[in-house]
């Protein structure tokens, strides 16, 4: 029913029965309007009386109430649409900020004034572990920092507390503050921290912590300074020798040709030692700084060994060593970088030569074992004292009996050898008895494809 439809005025009733009937009929016109309104639909139009009677005021009232409700509903709907749009903007903005915070790579944690964590982004969770996801926890528990010695930084000295207490930004990084670490299972990661107190007028509302994993940076930095220190220490000896013999050659006018030759030989040896050292150092730096570029290819280890033996032939002959080589005729090529293969065999065979007594014997075996080349270099030299054997592949390590037999070692050869063997997917190990000899074993996977 619409407002335009005529309604019968009550005043047209001639008796009470008809009045009641008309009244009932008139009021009934409101039933569907109220029924709709009851379920939130206020669109019903009240049929307004054509002529004025007792119900006119009531109907007009209901009409205006519904009109007012419709207006309010329209207003509310408009506000709701605006609210939805605002909510959408907020949700988009939140997602954008979250993506930025998760994508910046730095961990961000915020804490309130009582040190409770109230936010942690994804990179922070990766660094601090899943427990950082649970908000409301104590920052000192989540950020359990260790010093270089592995001791926990106590709460009283915790940088977050310090920043909140002093209301000043606190920074720990490669250049500033003591090194700080976070434990991740068996591993320790070095972290850089910037803690900025959130200052609101006279009170500190908490702190924002920016965390960064600087383990790689710090390892590289350490490796660089170690390489510089090795280079300066190790090069000193041959440089001093060259200086000493050159000075003698220049100073002494009455040297015999044999003496001159001997001094020249020493200069030459020291120079060769320096070249070997620089090569070894370059390899150490490539391994430690992760800049080693290898080009694996199919290689016949027998020809690599032949080259190495040729290079060492003068030394082998001078020391009157017997070198027996036996190799399996069915050797498959190995898949390895040519320079690495050369360095591996050169270090193992030159050590066997270096640490053998004059007149000793060296046995070299090249065998095919399933899908691997198996190399054995066995000598009868000074051997390695049992209590020092576990350190033999460590950078710069020389056994106590080594300098007596060979003065010019650097302790870098086996470190480089092991790294190269492992990069080729192989393994290296040894057996040794002091004063009896050593056997070094290497396995390198054969080329399969
Ligand atoms: P170095 O330049 O001192 O030979 P390496 O890294 O090649 O350095 O070897 C490390 C140490 O291992 C040596 O100093 C020596 O003590 C021991 N070593 C290596 N090979 C042998 C060997 N065949 N016999 C006895 N000792 C060896």
């Amino acid at each position: 029913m619409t407002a335009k439809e005529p309604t019968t005025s009550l005043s047209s009733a001639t008796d009470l029965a008809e009045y009641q009937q008309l009244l009932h009929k008139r009021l009934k016109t409101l039933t569907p309007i109220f029924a709709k309104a009851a379920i939130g639909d206020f669109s019903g139009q009240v049929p307004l009386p054509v002529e004025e009677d007792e119900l006119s005021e009531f109907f007009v009232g209901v009409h205006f109430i519904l009109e007012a409700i419709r207006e309010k509903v329209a207003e509310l709907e408009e506000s709701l649409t605006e609210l939805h749009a605002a909510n959408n903007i907020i949700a988009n903005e939140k997602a954008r900020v979250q993506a930025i915070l998760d994508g910046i790579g730095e961990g961000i944690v915020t804490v309130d004034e009582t040190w409770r964590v109230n936010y942690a982004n994804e990179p922070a969770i990766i660094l601090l572990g899943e427990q950082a996801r649970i908000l409301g926890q104590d920052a000192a528990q989540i950020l359990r920092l260790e010093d270089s010695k592995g001791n926990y930084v106590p709460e009283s000295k915790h940088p977050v507390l310090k920043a909140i207490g002093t209301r000043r930004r606190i920074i720990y990084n490669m250049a500033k503050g003591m090194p700080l670490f976070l434990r991740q299972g068996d591993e320790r990661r070095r972290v850089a921290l910037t803690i900025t107190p959130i200052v609101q007028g006279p009170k500190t509302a908490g702190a924002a912590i920016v965390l960064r994993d600087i383990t790689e940076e710090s390892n590289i930095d350490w490796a660089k300074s170690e390489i510089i220190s090795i280079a300066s220490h190790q090069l000193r000896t041959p440089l001093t020798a060259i200086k000493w013999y050159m000075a003698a050659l220049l100073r002494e006018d009455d040297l015999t040709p044999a003496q001159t030759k001997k001094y020249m030989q020493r200069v030459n040896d020291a120079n060769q030692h320096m070249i070997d050292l620089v090569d070894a150092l370059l390899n150490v730096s490539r391994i430690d700084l992760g800049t080693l570029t290898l080009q694996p290819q199919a290689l016949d280890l027998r020809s690599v060994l032949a080259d190495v033996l040729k290079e060492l032939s003068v030394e082998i002959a001078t020391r009157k060593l017997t070198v027996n080589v036996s190799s399996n005729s069915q050797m498959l090529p190995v898949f390895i970088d040519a320079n690495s293969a050369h360095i591996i065999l050169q270090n193992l065979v030159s050590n066997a030569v270096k640490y053998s007594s004059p007149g000793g014997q060296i046995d070299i075996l090249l065998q095919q074992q399933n899908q691997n080349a198996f190399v054995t270099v066995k000598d009868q030299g000074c051997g390695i004292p049992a209590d020092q054997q576990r350190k033999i592949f460590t950078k710069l390590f020389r056994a106590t009996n080594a300098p007596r037999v060979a003065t010019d070692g650097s302790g870098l050869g086996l470190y480089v050898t092991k790294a190269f063997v492992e990069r080729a997917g192989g393994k290296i190990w040894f057996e040794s008895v002091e004063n009896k000899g050593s056997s070094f074993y290497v396995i390198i996977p054969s080329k399969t494809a």
Side-chain angles (χ1 to χ4, degrees), residues 351 354-355 379 383-384 392 397-399 402 409-414 438:
N351 276 353
K354 209 158 60 173
Y355 297 109
D379 65 56
I384 302 160
I392 229 67
F397 184 78
R398 300 201 76 202
S410 64
L412 296 175
L414 286 181
S438 313

Side-chain angles (χ1 to χ4, degrees), residues 157-185:
K157 289 192 180 150
H158 201 286
V160 175
L161 188 72
K162 243 201 231 168
I164 294 181
T166 59
R167 292 163 62 95
R168 288 173 65 178
R169 171 178 289 171
I170 289 186
I171 298 172
Y172 288 84
N173 58 26
M174 292 277 290
K176 225 174 157 192
M178 65 174 191
L180 289 173
F181 300 84
L182 281 170
R183 185 156 288 284
Q184 285 182 347

Side-chain angles (χ1 to χ4, degrees), residues 255-263:
L255 285 175
T256 63
Q259 277 174 321
T260 307
K261 190 163 182 211
K262 188 177 142 200
Y263 283 12

Side-chain angles (χ1 to χ4, degrees), residues 66-114:
L66 280 176
E67 193 93 340
I69 292 176
R70 275 196 295 272
E71 265 172 34
K72 277 285 163 227
V73 167
E75 269 174 34
L76 277 176
E77 273 170 357
E78 207 176 309
S79 310
L80 213 61
T81 316
E82 279 169 15
L83 206 66
H84 277 313
N87 265 346
N88 268 344
I89 293 170
I90 291 169
N92 286 343
E93 197 55 25
K94 202 177 157 199
R96 200 171 71 88
V97 171
Q98 189 66 48
I100 293 170
L101 289 175
D102 287 343
I104 53 173
E106 312 222 322
I108 298 172
V109 176
T110 56
V111 297
D112 63 18
E113 71 280 13
T114 61

